Amino acid sequence: MTATVPPAPPEGPIADVAGRVEFAPGATPADSRFVNDDLLPVPVAQRRWTTYNFAALWVGMAHNIPSWLLASGLVALGMDWKQAVFTIALANLIVLAPMLLTGHAGPKYGIPFPVLARASFGLRGANLPALIRAGVACAWFGIQTWIGGQGIFVLLGKIFGGWAEASKVGGQPWTLWVCFVLFWALELAIIYRGMEALRRFENWAAPFVIVGALVLLAWITMKAGGLGPLLDQPSKLGWGADFWPVFFPSLMGMIAFWSTLSLNIPDFTRFGAGQRAQIWGQTLGLPTTMTLFALLSVFVTSGSQAVYGVAVWDPVQLAAKTDNVFGLLFGLVTVLIATISVNIAANVVSPAYDLANLAPKLINFRRGALITGVVGVLIMPWKLTETPELYIFTWLGLVGGLLGTVAGILIADYWIIRRTVLDLAGLYTPGGRYWYTGGWNLRAVVSFVVGGLLAVGGSHSAEGKGPFPEDGLIPFLKPLADYGWAVGLAAALVLYVVLMLPTRARTA
């Protein structure tokens, strides 16, 4: 039985002078299996995020412990600091492009990522990319929450002493589990208050975290009497034949770090005051922040090598080396704010909407956030960060390949097939323009399967370094595995356009 949707007034959805579209009064679909208040378009009057809001969002998300450790992972693979920073900078310039392309639908239509995906995958089919994105976010939520909990544990242990010697539960001191649970609860408490609370939090968290990173740099520079010897260390790979086999999979891994947000960035841009705000905010916020943060991590670590005789890449471990209580407290607060800032924005917002899209009548944004918190703990994904090979090549490479495929389909559908013109009411209407075959666009599914197979089918691991066969899951696809994100995006985009062009007159 198909749910009924009240007919829209003759004028249907309306657009303002800036081209932002919203439902006319009384035209909102109200009785549908595909509607709840969190999935409906944000009214134009409530789309008020500015360039600063988007830039602050990215500063807050980029300044976190895993992104600080990206440079260390590349150095551990044999790069020098210049090669590592170059790789990170280039990756973030590349991933900015799909970020801006998919983000365009947010300010224009006020819709979140899973609703945008309905245009290409169908009203039911959109759950496929949404749940993949949600699963990745849950894993990242677990990683970030565990890292944040460890940071609190280490710094509080320095202040109070004796925490590390506490009796163990599940192989870890019970005090560590307490820190982990408290940090987890604090994150969910903030996001439970909604997106406006997140915007206010990011506005002041971003400058605070920047100050914290600069204070750490100033402190270690003074102790070292300079920036230390790490900056003089040559690359173990050079710039020749040994460099490129490491560079390309590393570049794809760095792209994959934010490829998640390149899909669900409409979850944020839907609150944007206009295209200018999201374009300039993201451009000023993402590549510049990630590059500067990589430089900061290299400079601070180089100073630590001069002071302690060993490179200390983990900022929490480095902050814990001070005996000053005020310094420890400042480090503790910085770690708290930095980790919360990225985790609730990057890893809770998306699955909250994605799960709401799965069952709109049962799950709203807040319930989706709570489910994310529970799943993120149960799957215990923090082991993925144990080695650079596992973290960069296996986890980030695999994720990047699959999400790049989805990005290719979204971009092809929105920009090439529909030329940014969507039937807003149809995105919520069973049996409408985006219903396709029983709610599934089989052309999008085929494009996803083929693109995903090409992107990750050749996944391989060095002997004893990962879960994949040394010759690749599908040996003849092994040469493509190092370029997974790019292969997935390009293959899915081209195939989707080829399959959809004959139907363009009916779908536009």
Side-chain angles (χ1 to χ4, degrees):
M1 179 178 177
T2 302
T4 58
V5 181
E11 66 268 21
I14 57 175
D16 68 1
V17 292
R20 298 176 298 179
V21 181
E22 65 179 344
F23 283 121
T28 303
D31 183 19
S32 169
R33 293 163 290 164
F34 301 95
V35 174
N36 67 26
D37 289 342
D38 296 310
L39 296 176
L40 285 171
V42 174
V44 167
Q46 296 177 25
R47 300 178 203 174
R48 50 176 178 260
W49 283 35
T50 64
T51 297
Y52 175 78
N53 294 141
F54 287 112
L57 175 74
W58 274 113
V59 172
M61 289 198 295
H63 286 175
N64 61 86
I65 297 171
S67 63
W68 181 283
L69 295 174
L70 286 180
S72 69
L74 297 179
V75 170
L77 293 172
M79 294 186 183
D80 64 17
W81 73 270
K82 295 184 291 293
Q83 291 171 329
V85 172
F86 168 72
T87 303
I88 292 169
L90 180 59
N92 283 280
L93 280 173
I94 293 172
V95 81
L96 177 66
M99 203 83 69
L100 297 177
L101 291 173
T102 54
H104 184 278
K108 183 172 183 179
Y109 294 101
I111 54 176
F113 156 64
V115 175
L116 173 63
R118 292 174 181 180
S120 51
F121 282 86
L123 268 72
R124 286 175 172 158
N127 287 314
L128 172 63
L131 289 179
I132 291 173
R133 174 66 185 94
V136 171
C138 288
W140 270 119
F141 178 81
I143 291 172
Q144 291 277 10
T145 303
W146 182 252
I147 289 173
Q150 285 180 316
I152 298 169
F153 171 76
V154 169
L155 295 175
L156 284 180
K158 283 285 293 183
I159 296 173
F160 297 112
W163 279 48
E165 288 73 39
S167 58
K168 293 187 176 181
V169 177
Q172 301 289 349
W174 67 265
T175 46
L176 174 55
W177 291 113
V178 170
C179 292
F180 171 65
V181 170
L182 289 176
F183 185 63
W184 173 86
L186 179 61
E187 291 175 310
L188 292 185
I190 293 174
I191 196 60
Y192 194 77
R193 300 186 63 183
M195 290 295 290
E196 185 62 21
L198 174 62
R199 182 182 72 89
R200 292 194 298 268
F201 179 82
E202 296 290 351
N203 281 350
W204 68 264
F208 184 90
V209 174
I210 292 175
V211 171
L214 293 175
V215 168
L216 188 61
L217 174 62
W219 170 68
I220 199 65
T221 302
M222 287 189 293
K223 286 183 72 72
L227 289 177
L230 185 68
L231 302 182
D232 299 323
Q233 288 188 1
S235 168
K236 297 176 184 177
L237 304 173
W239 287 93
D242 292 333
F243 174 70
W244 302 111
V246 175
F247 169 75
F248 284 110
S250 296
L251 180 69
M252 293 300 107
M254 297 304 102
I255 290 173
F257 192 80
W258 288 123
S259 65
T260 51
L261 267 294
S262 70
L263 295 186
N264 75 286
I265 195 65
D267 293 343
F268 302 96
T269 60
R270 67 192 298 231
F271 298 95
Q275 297 299 339
R276 184 183 182 89
Q278 73 102 2
I279 291 172
W280 279 107
Q282 294 203 80
T283 303
L284 294 173
L286 173 58
T288 55
T289 298
M290 286 295 291
T291 302
L292 291 174
F293 207 50
L295 282 169
L296 271 175
S297 73
V298 168
F299 292 155
V300 170
T301 304
S302 184
S304 73
Q305 187 177 37
V307 175
Y308 302 109
V310 62
V312 183
W313 284 97
D314 189 336
V316 173
Q317 297 293 336
L318 184 58
K321 289 184 176 295
T322 180
D323 294 323
N324 184 287
V325 174
F326 175 79
L328 287 167
L329 287 173
F330 182 80
L332 174 63
V333 173
T334 303
V335 168
L336 269 171
I337 293 174
T339 309
I340 290 174
S341 181
V342 64
N343 220 14
I344 60 178
N347 303 320
V348 179
V349 171
S350 175
Y353 283 124
D354 297 337
L355 293 168
N357 189 70
L358 180 65
K361 293 301 182 184
L362 299 176
I363 304 174
N364 59 17
F365 179 84
R366 288 181 170 86
R367 289 174 184 167
L370 293 177
I371 294 172
T372 300
V374 173
V375 174
V377 172
L378 292 178
I379 60 179
M380 297 183 293
W382 46 82
K383 289 184 178 293
L384 291 169
T385 60
E386 286 182 341
T387 68
E389 292 85 5
L390 191 62
Y391 181 43
I392 293 176
F393 293 162
T394 303
W395 167 241
L396 291 179
L398 191 65
V399 165
L402 291 176
L403 297 185
T405 301
V406 176
I409 294 170
L410 293 183
I411 292 168
D413 184 80
Y414 184 69
W415 285 96
I416 300 175
I417 300 299
R418 307 187 194 281
R419 306 289 176 88
T420 76
V421 178
L422 298 176
D423 172 11
L424 191 58
L427 293 171
Y428 301 90
T429 307
R433 177 171 294 179
Y434 307 117
W435 190 243
Y436 299 107
T437 305
W440 289 78
N441 183 1
L442 299 181
R443 296 174 182 84
V445 175
V446 169
S447 301
F448 172 77
V449 171
V450 173
L453 187 65
L454 292 174
V456 305
S459 297
H460 58 91
S461 304
E463 187 175 356
K465 297 290 188 179
F468 301 120
E470 192 171 355
D471 293 332
L473 290 172
I474 304 175
F476 75 90
L477 292 179
K478 182 179 177 181
L480 300 180
D482 290 346
Y483 314 93
W485 180 84
V487 168
L489 188 147
L493 186 151
V494 171
L495 181 57
Y496 184 81
V497 170
V498 170
L499 294 175
M500 288 295 291
L501 276 179
T503 70
R504 183 174 174 179
R506 300 194 305 271
T507 59

